[in-house]
Amino acid sequence: MASSDVNVVVTMTVVSCADLDDKATFGKQDPYVKGQTAGQKFQTPVCVDGGTTPVWTEGNVFKFIFYNRSVFNAAKLFLSVKNKNKFSDSTIGDLTLEWKDTIEHRDEEWGYVLQNSSDEAEGTVNLLINVFDPVEEAEKRALEEAHRAEVEAAAAAAEEAARVEMEAKMAEQAAAAAEAAAALEAAAEEERAELEARIAE
C-alpha cells in the first residue's frame, strides 16, 4: 500500500476548561464541548454546574480517522465550548486549530486558548491529543533500527579491536619467552662446551 493511502488516526481527549466566561444568569453554568473535523462530529456530556472550570471524566475521548497524511495536514479542528440552557444554548468560546500545528504538544495535556465572537481570549480548553501516523511511525522505527545497527557495529568493532590487541600482546609475550628460552639454551650449550674443553685438557 502506498504511504499516501495509509490512514492517520487522531485520538483526542477533552480534559477540562479553565477561566471560562460565566454565561449563567442564575447559579452555575453547565458547559459542554462540541465540534467537528473533516466532517466527523463530536460532543462531550454536559458538565452540570461545571461553572468556569468544568472537568470531563467520561464520554470525552474521541477518535478521528483521516484517509492519509495530506488530508490530515490540511484538516482543521473546529471546537466550541457551550453553556447548556433550557431554551437556547449559548457559546462561551470557540477554537479553530490545524492538526499539523499540534505536533509540538502531542501526547501531553495542553491548554488551547478559546476566543469569543469579538476574537478576544475567553479561557482555555485543555486537550490531550495523540496522533498515530503509520508513515511517521515507520520512519521513526527505521531511524531507531539504524541507530541500533550503528551501536552494534561500533560495539563489534571495539570487541574485534580488543581481540586483535590481545592476540598481538600474547604473540609478543610468546616471542619474548621463546627468545629468553633460546638465550638460556645457548648459555647452557656454551657452558657445556667450556666444561668439555677443561676435561679434555
Side-chain angles (χ1 to χ4, degrees):
M1 182 181 291
S3 61
S4 60
D5 296 333
V6 179
N7 291 343
V8 175
V9 181
V10 175
T11 302
M12 181 184 75
T13 303
V14 180
V15 181
S16 60
C17 291
D19 302 320
L20 296 180
D21 185 30
D22 193 349
K23 299 291 185 180
T25 305
F26 303 102
K28 288 187 175 182
Q29 64 186 358
D30 305 319
Y32 65 95
V33 177
K34 68 179 299 185
Q36 65 92 12
T37 180
Q40 303 171 78
K41 297 180 179 181
F42 64 93
Q43 181 173 323
T44 69
V46 174
C47 184
V48 178
D49 291 335
T52 59
T53 56
V55 176
W56 289 271
T57 57
E58 59 182 24
N60 60 329
V61 180
F62 308 97
K63 183 173 289 187
F64 312 114
I65 299 176
F66 302 89
Y67 177 66
N68 56 39
R69 184 187 286 188
S70 297
V71 173
F72 167 76
N73 286 336
K76 293 182 180 181
L77 169 69
F78 299 96
L79 175 153
S80 292
V81 179
K82 293 182 172 290
N83 177 40
K84 185 68 176 176
N85 294 314
K86 185 174 182 180
F87 299 108
S88 178
D89 297 349
S90 55
T91 299
I92 301 172
D94 296 313
L95 171 69
T96 299
L97 183 67
E98 293 189 14
W99 288 115
K100 63 182 181 181
D101 293 337
T102 66
I103 188 170
E104 189 175 340
H105 304 297
R106 287 180 192 172
D107 302 319
E108 66 173 331
E109 185 181 322
W110 189 258
Y112 295 90
V113 178
L114 297 164
Q115 292 183 316
N116 60 22
S117 57
S118 300
D119 290 333
E120 298 170 331
E122 202 64 84
T124 60
V125 57
N126 300 312
L127 306 176
L128 175 61
I129 296 171
N130 172 266
V131 178
F132 177 74
D133 181 346
V135 175
E136 191 176 272
E137 290 296 318
E139 291 173 350
K140 191 182 301 182
R141 281 196 303 272
L143 286 174
E144 290 172 353
E145 290 173 3
H147 176 67
R148 183 167 55 250
E150 185 178 332
V151 170
E152 290 175 353
E159 185 178 345
E160 178 64 16
R163 185 187 66 78
V164 170
E165 183 179 358
M166 179 63 70
E167 289 180 352
K169 284 183 179 178
M170 291 175 64
E172 185 179 339
Q173 291 171 354
E179 185 177 345
L184 287 173
E185 181 64 27
E189 183 63 30
E190 184 178 345
E191 189 176 337
R192 278 197 302 271
E194 289 179 357
L195 182 57
E196 289 174 356
R198 289 198 195 101
I199 292 172
E201 291 176 356

